[in-house]
Coordinates of all heavy atoms in Angstrom, one line a residue:
A118 N 3.5 -60.3 -104.5 CA 2.2 -59.6 -104.7 C 2.5 -58.4 -105.6 O 3.6 -57.8 -105.6 CB 1.7 -59.1 -103.3
A119 N 1.4 -57.9 -106.2 CA 1.5 -56.8 -107.1 C 2.0 -55.5 -106.4 O 2.7 -54.7 -106.9 CB 0.2 -56.5 -107.8
N120 N 1.6 -55.4 -105.1 CA 2.0 -54.3 -104.3 C 3.3 -54.5 -103.5 O 3.7 -53.7 -102.7 CB 0.9 -53.8 -103.3 CG 0.6 -54.9 -102.3 OD1 1.3 -55.9 -102.1 ND2 -0.5 -54.6 -101.6
S121 N 3.9 -55.7 -103.7 CA 5.2 -56.1 -103.1 C 5.1 -56.4 -101.6 O 5.4 -57.5 -101.2 CB 6.3 -55.0 -103.3 OG 7.5 -55.4 -102.7
Y122 N 4.6 -55.5 -100.8 CA 4.6 -55.7 -99.3 C 3.6 -56.7 -98.8 O 3.7 -57.1 -97.7 CB 4.4 -54.3 -98.6 CG 3.2 -53.5 -99.0 CD1 2.0 -53.8 -98.5 CD2 3.4 -52.5 -99.9 CE1 0.9 -53.1 -98.9 CE2 2.3 -51.7 -100.3 CZ 1.0 -52.0 -99.8 OH -0.1 -51.3 -100.2
S123 N 2.7 -57.1 -99.7 CA 1.8 -58.2 -99.3 C 2.2 -59.6 -99.7 O 1.5 -60.6 -99.5 CB 0.4 -58.0 -99.9 OG -0.2 -56.8 -99.4
S124 N 3.5 -59.7 -100.2 CA 4.0 -60.9 -100.6 C 4.2 -61.8 -99.4 O 4.5 -61.4 -98.3 CB 5.4 -60.7 -101.3 OG 5.3 -59.8 -102.4
S125 N 4.0 -63.2 -99.6 CA 4.0 -64.1 -98.5 C 4.4 -65.5 -99.0 O 4.1 -65.9 -100.1 CB 2.7 -64.2 -97.8 OG 2.7 -65.1 -96.8
I126 N 5.0 -66.3 -98.1 CA 5.3 -67.7 -98.4 C 3.9 -68.4 -98.4 O 3.8 -69.4 -99.1 CB 6.2 -68.2 -97.3 CG1 7.6 -67.6 -97.5 CG2 6.3 -69.8 -97.4 CD1 8.6 -67.9 -96.4
L127 N 2.9 -67.9 -97.7 CA 1.6 -68.6 -97.6 C 0.7 -68.1 -98.7 O 0.9 -67.0 -99.3 CB 1.0 -68.2 -96.3 CG 1.7 -68.6 -95.0 CD1 0.9 -68.2 -93.8 CD2 2.0 -70.1 -94.9
D128 N -0.3 -68.9 -99.0 CA -1.3 -68.6 -100.0 C -2.2 -67.5 -99.5 O -2.6 -67.5 -98.3 CB -2.1 -69.8 -100.5 CG -1.2 -70.8 -101.3 OD1 -0.3 -70.3 -102.0 OD2 -1.5 -72.0 -101.2
M129 N -2.6 -66.6 -100.3 CA -3.5 -65.5 -99.8 C -5.0 -66.0 -99.9 O -5.4 -66.7 -100.8 CB -3.3 -64.3 -100.8 CG -4.0 -63.0 -100.3 SD -3.7 -61.7 -101.5 CE -1.9 -61.4 -101.2
T130 N -5.8 -65.5 -99.0 CA -7.2 -65.9 -98.9 C -8.0 -64.8 -99.7 O -7.6 -63.7 -100.0 CB -7.7 -66.0 -97.5 OG1 -7.7 -64.7 -96.9 CG2 -6.9 -66.9 -96.7
Q131 N -9.3 -65.2 -99.9 CA -10.2 -64.2 -100.6 C -10.5 -63.0 -99.7 O -10.7 -61.9 -100.2 CB -11.5 -64.9 -101.0 CG -12.4 -64.1 -101.8 CD -11.8 -63.8 -103.2 OE1 -11.2 -64.7 -103.8 NE2 -11.9 -62.5 -103.6
A132 N -10.5 -63.2 -98.4 CA -10.7 -62.1 -97.5 C -9.7 -61.0 -97.7 O -10.0 -59.8 -97.6 CB -10.7 -62.6 -96.0
H133 N -8.4 -61.4 -97.9 CA -7.4 -60.4 -98.2 C -7.6 -59.7 -99.5 O -7.5 -58.5 -99.6 CB -6.0 -61.1 -98.1 CG -4.8 -60.2 -98.1 ND1 -4.6 -59.2 -99.1 CD2 -3.8 -60.0 -97.2 CE1 -3.5 -58.6 -98.8 NE2 -3.0 -59.0 -97.6
L134 N -7.9 -60.5 -100.5 CA -8.1 -59.9 -101.8 C -9.3 -58.9 -101.8 O -9.3 -57.9 -102.5 CB -8.4 -61.0 -102.9 CG -7.1 -61.8 -103.2 CD1 -7.5 -63.0 -104.0 CD2 -6.1 -60.9 -104.0
D135 N -10.3 -59.3 -101.1 CA -11.5 -58.4 -101.0 C -11.1 -57.1 -100.3 O -11.6 -56.0 -100.6 CB -12.6 -59.1 -100.2 CG -13.3 -60.2 -100.9 OD1 -13.1 -60.3 -102.2 OD2 -13.9 -61.0 -100.3
G136 N -10.3 -57.1 -99.3 CA -9.8 -55.9 -98.5 C -8.8 -55.1 -99.3 O -8.7 -53.9 -99.1
A137 N -8.0 -55.8 -100.1 CA -6.9 -55.1 -100.8 C -6.7 -55.7 -102.2 O -5.9 -56.6 -102.4 CB -5.6 -55.2 -100.0
P138 N -7.6 -55.3 -103.1 CA -7.6 -55.9 -104.5 C -6.3 -55.8 -105.2 O -5.9 -56.6 -106.1 CB -8.7 -55.1 -105.2 CG -9.6 -54.7 -104.1 CD -8.7 -54.3 -103.0
D139 N -5.4 -54.8 -104.9 CA -4.2 -54.6 -105.5 C -3.1 -55.5 -105.0 O -1.9 -55.3 -105.4 CB -3.7 -53.1 -105.4 CG -3.5 -52.7 -104.0 OD1 -4.0 -53.4 -103.1 OD2 -2.7 -51.7 -103.8
S140 N -3.4 -56.4 -104.1 CA -2.4 -57.3 -103.5 C -2.3 -58.6 -104.1 O -1.6 -59.5 -103.6 CB -2.7 -57.4 -102.0 OG -3.9 -58.1 -101.8
A141 N -3.0 -58.9 -105.2 CA -3.0 -60.2 -105.8 C -1.6 -60.7 -106.2 O -0.7 -59.8 -106.6 CB -3.9 -60.2 -107.1
Y142 N -1.3 -62.0 -106.1 CA 0.0 -62.5 -106.5 C 0.2 -62.4 -108.0 O -0.7 -62.7 -108.8 CB 0.1 -63.9 -106.0 CG 0.2 -64.1 -104.5 CD1 -0.3 -65.2 -103.9 CD2 0.7 -63.1 -103.7 CE1 -0.2 -65.4 -102.5 CE2 0.8 -63.3 -102.3 CZ 0.3 -64.4 -101.8 OH 0.4 -64.6 -100.4
V143 N 1.4 -62.1 -108.4 CA 1.7 -62.0 -109.8 C 2.9 -62.8 -110.2 O 3.2 -63.0 -111.4 CB 2.0 -60.5 -110.2 CG1 0.7 -59.6 -110.0 CG2 3.2 -59.9 -109.4
A144 N 3.6 -63.4 -109.3 CA 4.8 -64.2 -109.6 C 5.2 -65.0 -108.4 O 4.7 -64.9 -107.3 CB 6.0 -63.3 -110.0
V145 N 6.2 -65.9 -108.6 CA 6.8 -66.7 -107.5 C 8.3 -66.6 -107.6 O 8.9 -66.7 -108.7 CB 6.3 -68.2 -107.6 CG1 7.0 -69.0 -106.5 CG2 4.8 -68.3 -107.5
E146 N 9.0 -66.5 -106.4 CA 10.4 -66.5 -106.4 C 10.9 -67.5 -105.5 O 10.3 -67.8 -104.4 CB 11.0 -65.1 -105.9 CG 11.0 -64.0 -106.9 CD 11.8 -62.8 -106.5 OE1 12.8 -63.0 -105.6 OE2 11.5 -61.7 -106.9
R147 N 12.1 -68.1 -105.8 CA 12.7 -69.1 -105.0 C 13.7 -68.3 -104.1 O 14.5 -67.5 -104.6 CB 13.5 -70.1 -105.8 CG 14.0 -71.3 -104.9 CD 12.9 -72.2 -104.5 NE 13.4 -73.4 -103.8 CZ 12.6 -74.2 -103.2 NH1 11.3 -74.1 -103.1 NH2 13.2 -75.3 -102.5
V148 N 13.6 -68.5 -102.8 CA 14.4 -67.6 -101.9 C 15.1 -68.5 -100.8 O 14.7 -69.5 -100.5 CB 13.6 -66.5 -101.2 CG1 13.0 -65.6 -102.3 CG2 12.5 -67.1 -100.3
E149 N 16.2 -67.9 -100.3 CA 16.9 -68.5 -99.1 C 16.1 -68.2 -97.8 O 15.4 -67.2 -97.7 CB 18.3 -67.9 -99.0 CG 19.1 -68.5 -97.8 CD 20.4 -67.8 -97.7 OE1 20.8 -67.1 -98.6 OE2 21.1 -68.0 -96.6
V150 N 16.1 -69.2 -96.9 CA 15.5 -69.0 -95.6 C 16.6 -69.1 -94.5 O 17.4 -70.1 -94.5 CB 14.4 -70.0 -95.4 CG1 13.8 -69.8 -94.0 CG2 13.4 -70.0 -96.5
T151 N 16.6 -68.2 -93.6 CA 17.4 -68.3 -92.4 C 16.5 -68.2 -91.2 O 15.3 -68.3 -91.3 CB 18.4 -67.1 -92.4 OG1 19.3 -67.3 -91.3 CG2 17.7 -65.7 -92.2

Side-chain angles (χ1 to χ4, degrees):
N120 63 10
S121 179
Y122 53 81
S123 292
S124 303
S125 177
I126 292 172
L127 303 179
D128 291 330
M129 189 178 292
T130 67
Q131 190 60 46
H133 192 299
L134 289 169
D135 290 343
D139 64 340
S140 64
Y142 291 151
V143 294
V145 176
E146 279 192 28
R147 190 73 176 170
V148 299
E149 179 185 349
V150 181
T151 187

